[in-house]
Amino acid sequence: MRQIQMTWLTTGLLALVFGLNPVLAQKKDDKAAPAVDPKQALINAVVGATNEAMKGAAGTSVFTADPVARTVVADPATTVAMTLGIDYLKASDNKIYAPFTVTLQPDVIGKGGNLGAYIRLAPKGAVPPEAPPPLDPKAQKEKEKQDKKKKKGKEAQDLAGQAVSGVEYPWEDFYELTAVPRGPGGPLTFSRPFSVVAGEYDAYVAVAVKDPVAAPGPMKIAVHKATITVPNYWSDEFQISTVFLANKVTPLAEVPSGDAQKLKPYVIGNLEVSPTVDGKFTSADELSVFFIIYGVALGDDKKPDVTIDWQPYKKGPLGEAKFRGVAPQKLNAETLPPGFDVAQGHQLVGSLNVPVSAFEAGDYRLAIKVTDNKSGKSLTHDVAFTVAGS
């Protein structure tokens, strides 16, 4: 609001000067109205729409942003389907790593898949910020200079967001990307990661379509708001990460880090996981289940003793029936590498890889039971999937 008032005040002063000295007024007007940078206009639009979404309930809202007038207004007449799916893993520095996937109904807020996307994690219940003061150009250049310095050395290897709102949040980031459709006529999809400490947050994802042939002017912004609980994997509790259901897991010779990791958010260790969004497989796929186990008890040998039982059930008109047996996975001193050490950060991984061709067409539930044999504790998790007919 302060910026808008300042613009009006400046305009009034220029009109007064124009009446006294046309040449002087023209020179001042040229300085006061520089060309709008398209990227900055896009950032202003998605940040402004997110600020407005903070006032509303969870769900997806559409706003119209005018980058010239710097206004954002709700557009209740426009509705768009948008989803946010988040997975969680233990990171470093007491943080949780969270790769997420967004889907967006195509051709509603704009044509094509070239997007400007903004994510913000705010403390649960946080209210919109007051309008920040205008940025001092010299201070902004100095900040950019310092940010570049931080990208050197170890900090270049760490996952970090991009502060663009002028307000400090647990996480925010802005991306220019190309979302890909999930099959012919399917929703646009893209994935990125964030990293925060455990806790409750209001998560926002704002998306605008970058249409290179559209004339400059008002743009539509879709904002999805969700209240999330980021789990605490740093406690001593026996628990597992998100269970990833994937159609492919690829070993990597080189592991991305820093900004490169944002482009491959589902790289876990030296494995790139390709999760399925809808749990549907064809007979040519590989059914891969992947998760990490935390908080296991250790013996005198500092080794865990964990058993993972897998049991597929096929759904039918009369209910569920067991579908074949799967050998349990044992993680103990005999099966783990000799140098395995949880204290050194080694991950205890539960995994199952089965050719989908081993299953008949139909709907399934995979029952997973993880047992810590040294503590006697166990936990269960179900994964649903579908095998398409040939």
Side-chain angles (χ1 to χ4, degrees):
M1 185 63 70
R2 294 174 186 167
Q3 291 177 328
I4 294 174
Q5 291 174 342
M6 183 64 73
T7 301
W8 290 343
L9 178 60
T10 304
T11 302
L13 291 173
L14 287 174
L16 179 61
V17 173
F18 180 79
L20 298 175
N21 189 330
V23 176
L24 178 61
Q26 181 64 47
K27 290 181 178 179
K28 287 185 176 289
D29 187 62
D30 288 343
K31 293 182 179 179
V36 177
D37 176 65
K39 180 177 179 179
Q40 188 59 52
L42 183 60
I43 291 174
N44 293 341
V46 293
V47 168
T50 302
N51 291 343
E52 290 299 312
M54 294 183 79
K55 304 174 185 178
T60 303
S61 304
V62 177
F63 300 88
T64 298
D66 188 330
V68 177
R70 301 193 71 176
T71 58
V72 178
V73 295
D75 183 4
T78 303
T79 59
V80 61
M82 187 174 176
T83 66
L84 169 64
I86 309 175
D87 301 303
Y88 301 104
L89 294 152
K90 188 176 182 180
S92 59
D93 299 327
N94 289 313
K95 291 186 177 181
I96 303 300
Y97 177 73
F100 64 89
T101 297
V102 175
T103 68
L104 176 72
Q105 183 181 354
D107 300 334
V108 175
I109 62 171
K111 300 293 184 181
N114 293 325
L115 307 178
Y118 170 71
I119 181 171
R120 174 188 297 176
L121 264 69
K124 181 181 177 181
V127 298
E130 295 183 0
L135 290 176
D136 178 7
K138 291 184 178 180
Q140 178 65 17
K141 288 183 179 181
E142 181 62 25
K143 181 181 181 301
E144 292 174 355
K145 183 179 179 181
Q146 295 300 322
D147 287 343
K148 288 181 180 179
K149 288 183 178 180
K150 289 181 180 180
K151 289 295 182 181
K152 298 179 181 179
K154 178 184 179 298
E155 293 192 19
Q157 306 302 312
D158 296 336
L159 182 68
Q162 181 182 4
V164 295
S165 68
V167 179
E168 186 174 350
Y169 289 103
W171 184 271
E172 68 171 336
D173 210 349
F174 174 78
Y175 326 96
E176 293 181 286
L177 53 85
T178 300
V180 295
R182 194 205 308 160
L188 298 174
T189 305
F190 68 89
S191 296
R192 289 294 187 273
F194 63 81
S195 180
V196 293
V197 298
E200 292 189 307
Y201 300 90
D202 288 332
Y204 301 87
V205 178
V207 175
V209 175
K210 297 169 51 184
D211 188 347
V213 300
M219 64 183 78
K220 291 187 183 295
I221 315 290
V223 185
H224 185 82
K225 175 181 180 179
T227 298
I228 64 173
T229 299
V230 177
N232 182 13
Y233 294 140
W234 287 90
S235 70
D236 294 330
E237 180 183 354
F238 178 53
Q239 55 188 324
I240 61 174
S241 71
T242 295
V243 176
F244 296 88
L245 181 64
N247 53 23
K248 184 169 64 173
V249 176
T250 307
L252 299 179
E254 184 176 350
V255 178
S257 60
D259 287 344
Q261 189 175 6
K262 295 180 182 181
L263 303 179
K264 292 180 176 290
Y266 285 95
V267 171
I268 304 168
N270 68 330
L271 301 176
E272 183 172 10
V273 179
S274 301
T276 64
V277 179
D278 53 13
K280 295 181 179 179
F281 294 83
T282 68
S283 58
D285 291 330
E286 182 93 0
L287 175 68
S288 297
V289 183
F290 179 94
F291 57 89
I292 298 176
I293 308 166
Y294 305 113
V296 296
L298 303 177
D300 295 336
D301 58 358
K302 297 184 180 181
K303 294 292 191 295
D305 184 3
V306 173
T307 302
I308 305 174
D309 293 300
W310 319 86
Q311 181 56 62
Y313 292 85
K314 186 179 182 183
K315 300 179 181 180
L318 301 179
E320 292 184 332
K322 288 185 178 181
F323 185 83
R324 301 180 182 176
V326 179
Q329 181 181 4
K330 297 183 181 295
L331 301 170
N332 53 40
E334 296 180 0
T335 62
L336 293 169
F340 183 87
D341 188 349
V342 173
Q344 296 296 320
H346 297 167
Q347 305 278 19
L348 195 62
V349 178
S351 63
L352 175 68
N353 296 282
V354 181
V356 177
S357 58
F359 295 89
E360 301 170 353
D363 296 323
Y364 291 85
R365 175 176 68 90
L366 177 64
I368 305 171
K369 182 178 180 181
V370 184
T371 302
D372 184 347
N373 297 309
K374 291 190 174 179
S375 69
K377 297 178 181 179
S378 64
L379 52 86
T380 59
H381 188 90
D382 292 333
V383 174
F385 65 95
T386 298
V387 176
S390 56

